[in-house]
Amino acid sequence: MKKNMKTVQAMMAFVLLGGVLAGCGGSKEDAKDAAASNSGEVESLALPIAKTPITIKWYQKNFVETELKSMSEMEAFKELEKRTGIKIEFVHPPNTPDAINVMLASGDYPDVIFWDWASVPRGLTGLINDGVALKLNDYMDKYAVNYKKALDKYPDVKKFATLDDGTYPAFFQLDPDPMRTSYNGLIIRKDWLDKLALKPPATIDEWHTVLKAFKEKDPNGNGKQDEIPYSIAKAPSGTALGGVGSGMSEFTAAWGILDGFYKDPASGKLLYGPMQPQYKDYLTTMASWYKEGLIDSEFASTDAKGLTTKLQNEQVGTTYGSLGSIIGNTTTVVRTKNPNYSLIGVKPPIGPGGKSYNYASNTVQKVGYAGVITKTSKYPKEIVRLIDYMYSEEGQALLNWGIEGKSYTVKDGKKAFTDEIMKSPDGKSPQQALYRYATSVFGHTKVMEYDAWSQISMPFPEQKESIKLFAGADTSLNTPTSLSLTSEESSKLGSIMSDINTYKQETVLRILMGADPVSKIDEFQKRLKSMGIDEAQKIYQAAYDRFNARK
């Protein structure tokens, strides 16, 4: 990525779119390495990979920062080093939107960068074209046999794991099971519904009825009108409206649109939701709810930690988020003082759009974060083999389950987590307890296993029922986030959408919170035209057409 690259925050956030061939015991590595490199044959994939121990730098967010200072403390990566002879030295950036762009612009690259490339200007295409990331095509047949085998096993995933020209740019978190990726949705207090003799809301009108009852009928039973009918956390990027799957945006689906670029079911073309006539109707309803006190007055400034506090204090009736972090972690904490506490998921509401349309694009996405090997690395072949091992049967078990006999056991061929994980003596949730051992919950360079993820992320029956509802929502509006842009497209789109996203954020918030009338949306949509939204739509459409043409 060039040093003068223009940073475009959250540019893709509105494209609304998460046999053992390695480790064969007893074989030896010798002169076959050199011979295989020249002959095109698959090399011996025996362990250890490095005869003399080496250390590589691996850049990614610390997904377990609540439990471990570094992911290198995780037992899975300690064991991985023992098996392969390669030590992963994790480099965890600050939790700021520009961290990745600052690092890329510096020109000082680690060996591996594991990131959500859909959120980075020019993404993986840019990294390859700029000579930052290594093209994997020449390594696939010799050194990445397990990764290749996984892509062959799930052919519908391959389109997501390549670029428009057939380049393999990275090792992806593979998510072939839609049940595994349907973890985000609307969540509600079932015990409050039961207390007020209400059913889970299925339509926008029923949502209004439930929110109003939560506000007025004291469901938490403390004699005060302190309930917050609907509360959410602003997106990690800092935007209060969120974008993909957070903030207020998810309700747009009830009107048959999304709060960004989406697929029009009738034409199959991409449209920009805020430019559609239904967007004004959506904002009219949301502004009315906010005026009635049905939406948290602090939603524009509440972060994830703040929302967690409100949930655990039993102030919040409904929210939007993950089945694991919202239902799982919150229920674990609150039931120690209120055994009747119950959160459940509900399907997206039906509104004028006529269907229960899914909002979150992760339901249709087959891949997630991806790890690139930088061209400055001294150990490209060793790193390819290291990461490929993570897709092998042994590597899969290690990263998804942890250490056999400690974090999991095997009986009759089936794996199950131990009581140390499921009934932590420290009072931790299963998710938190497993952070010491494995990456079952969050993405990594591996195939995400539904069984491992669900045992940890869904210990409560409410979660298992909820994910079926989320997975059953209509995905007709969704498109993948893994669209590739040319250099010219990226530069033009970045210039257009950075200004539009800022303007949209400010204008829509003012309308929703009552500072401006809803009629302001007419001026807003006219200005979007002058700011180049039609050209942006053409760019996205071209990228989407190229994606669909991939083989």
Side-chain angles (χ1 to χ4, degrees), residues 50-274:
K51 296 178 181 178
T52 301
I54 62 175
T55 298
I56 64 169
K57 290 188 176 181
W58 185 298
Y59 183 98
Q60 74 168 70
K61 294 178 181 178
N62 184 3
F63 294 120
V64 295
E65 62 182 354
T66 58
E67 302 298 320
L68 304 175
K69 291 182 179 179
S70 171
M71 288 183 60
S72 61
E73 299 174 36
M74 186 179 291
E75 295 300 323
F77 292 109
K78 292 180 183 178
E79 178 63 22
L80 192 66
E81 179 184 351
K82 293 178 184 177
R83 296 182 188 181
T84 65
I86 301 176
K87 177 179 176 59
I88 297 177
E89 182 182 307
F90 283 99
V91 179
H92 299 307
N95 191 20
T96 59
D98 279 342
I100 185 69
N101 296 309
V102 171
M103 185 275 287
L104 290 172
S106 74
D108 183 14
Y109 309 129
D111 296 279
V112 178
I113 308 171
F114 183 72
W115 207 259
D116 175 15
W117 296 107
S119 66
V120 176
R122 297 186 63 207
L124 289 167
T125 301
L127 293 182
I128 295 292
N129 292 342
D130 290 346
V132 175
L134 193 69
K135 204 172 182 178
L136 299 178
N137 294 55
D138 293 338
Y139 293 82
M140 291 292 288
D141 290 337
K142 295 180 184 177
Y143 314 123
V145 292
N146 291 297
Y147 184 56
K148 186 178 179 182
K149 182 177 180 180
L151 293 179
D152 289 342
K153 183 177 180 180
Y154 308 109
D156 58 334
V157 173
K158 185 178 179 181
K159 181 185 290 189
F160 293 81
T162 56
L163 300 182
D164 296 332
D165 62 359
T167 293
Y168 289 92
F171 288 98
F172 282 89
Q173 165 197 330
L174 303 182
D175 258 313
D177 192 336
M179 282 285 284
R180 219 294 304 174
T181 56
S182 301
Y183 48 78
N184 282 334
L186 290 160
I187 295 169
I188 194 166
R189 285 286 298 269
K190 183 179 184 300
D191 52 325
W192 284 13
L193 290 174
D194 293 342
K195 183 175 182 178
L196 301 179
L198 295 169
K199 294 181 179 180
T203 67
I204 282 291
D205 289 341
E206 289 175 5
W207 263 85
H208 181 264
T209 298
V210 167
L211 295 179
K212 191 173 177 61
F214 282 179
K215 180 179 186 295
E216 297 175 349
K217 297 185 178 181
D218 190 29
N220 67 12
N222 66 356
K224 303 175 183 178
Q225 197 176 89
D226 59 350
E227 289 84 356
I228 303 171
Y230 183 71
S231 183
I232 64 280
K234 63 183 180 181
S237 62
T239 55
L241 291 176
V244 180
S246 60
M248 297 302 304
S249 300
E250 62 278 357
F251 283 107
T252 55
W255 278 263
I257 61 175
L258 298 181
D259 197 13
F261 288 95
Y262 71 100
K263 182 175 64 178
D264 175 37
S267 65
K269 298 296 183 180
L270 298 192
L271 301 176
Y272 188 60

Side-chain angles (χ1 to χ4, degrees), residues 405-520:
K406 293 184 178 180
S407 58
Y408 78 98
T409 57
V410 182
K411 184 177 181 180
D412 298 328
K414 294 184 178 180
K415 298 183 182 72
F417 289 110
T418 61
D419 284 348
E420 180 182 345
I421 304 302
M422 303 307 294
K423 300 176 183 179
S424 170
D426 300 325
K428 297 181 183 297
S429 70
Q431 275 195 5
Q432 294 167 321
L434 190 67
Y435 284 169
R436 288 182 49 224
Y437 286 98
T439 65
S440 313
V441 179
F442 52 86
H444 213 271
T445 45
K446 67 179 190 301
V447 179
M448 297 291 289
E449 290 188 24
Y450 177 77
D451 285 346
W453 175 81
S454 62
Q455 283 187 37
I456 286 299
S457 297
M458 299 191 295
F460 300 104
E462 295 95 325
Q463 294 169 298
K464 293 179 175 63
E465 291 302 314
S466 297
I467 201 165
K468 294 176 184 177
L469 293 177
F470 292 172
D474 191 296
T475 60
S476 301
L477 305 179
N478 303 122
T479 62
T481 58
S482 54
L483 301 181
S484 300
L485 303 173
T486 66
S487 296
E488 183 179 352
E489 287 173 337
S490 179
S491 177
K492 187 64 177 178
L493 192 62
S495 177
I496 294 172
M497 292 308 298
S498 60
D499 292 338
I500 283 180
N501 288 342
T502 299
Y503 172 60
K504 170 182 175 291
Q505 168 78 8
E506 296 171 350
T507 303
V508 172
L509 271 180
R510 288 183 61 82
I511 293 173
L512 197 152
M513 301 176 79
D516 286 333
V518 176
S519 58
K520 184 82 172 180

